[in-house]
Amino acid sequence: TTNSTFDGVDIATRDGVLTSTTTTAAAALPKAGGAMTGAITGITYANNVIFTNAAATGSVTLNFSTATHFHLTLTGALTLANPTTEVSGTSGLIFLKQDGTGGRTLSLGTDFETPASAGHTLSTAAGATDIIPYYVVGSGRILLGQIQRAFG
């Protein structure tokens, strides 16, 4: 309950009520010209949670239901495998850091899409960090933005 107002309406005395549980909310949502009632299904996802893997090599599957940002230190060639935990509408960053040796490469599963289907080539210097933004369109479709290379 609040005593704040929004657009001149006292929210505390508003005739709409929103209650929530972990996964769903029952609501009576007033709108111009009448009331709208129904259930709102909540989407549970990990907002701004960081997953860290200090020794990423081989095939790695990102878990989008537990993290939105991924910090991976490459200790060998890395393949991002197709996940099964995509949450449509989520976005985040993938940080890929070369270990002290450098020269590590990145391969992508078929669920990952890059601009013009060109893939991404990582920086090769030891300790260099590349950043790739992503957006999950839906199951089996993760859009990778333009790579930002050679931080550090």
Side-chain angles (χ1 to χ4, degrees), residues 6-8 13 15 32 34 40 44-45 56-57 66 71-72 74 89 97 100 106 114 118 120-122 130 135 148:
F6 181 75
D7 288 342
T13 59
D15 58 349
I40 298 173
T44 303
Y45 67 94
T57 189
T66 60
H71 292 203
L72 307 173
L74 282 63
K97 181 179 180 182
L106 175 66
T114 59
H120 283 319
T121 302
L122 300 180
D130 297 339
Y135 178 80
Q148 303 298 307

Side-chain angles (χ1 to χ4, degrees), residues 9-62:
V9 176
D10 183 0
I11 295 172
T13 59
R14 183 92 177 194
D15 58 349
V17 176
L18 178 64
T19 59
S20 66
T21 64
T22 303
T23 57
T24 62
L29 303 172
K31 66 177 191 174
M36 179 177 77
T37 60
I40 298 173
T41 302
I43 298 174
T44 303
Y45 67 94
N47 189 21
N48 293 321
V49 174
I50 300 169
F51 169 81
T52 301
N53 183 338
T57 189
S59 182
V60 171
T61 304
L62 304 179

Side-chain angles (χ1 to χ4, degrees), residues 85-152:
T85 57
E86 304 96 310
V87 179
S88 182
T90 60
S91 62
L93 299 171
I94 302 169
F95 297 83
L96 300 166
K97 181 179 180 182
Q98 296 283 347
D99 65 3
T101 301
R104 311 308 186 178
T105 59
L106 175 66
S107 298
L108 300 169
T110 56
D111 289 358
F112 295 93
E113 301 176 32
T114 59
S117 299
H120 283 319
T121 302
L122 300 180
S123 301
T124 58
T129 300
D130 297 339
I131 303 170
I132 303 172
Y134 74 86
Y135 178 80
V136 177
V137 175
S139 178
R141 196 151 182 240
I142 303 160
L143 306 182
L144 299 180
Q146 191 60 47
I147 189 170
Q148 303 298 307
R149 300 181 67 221
F151 289 90

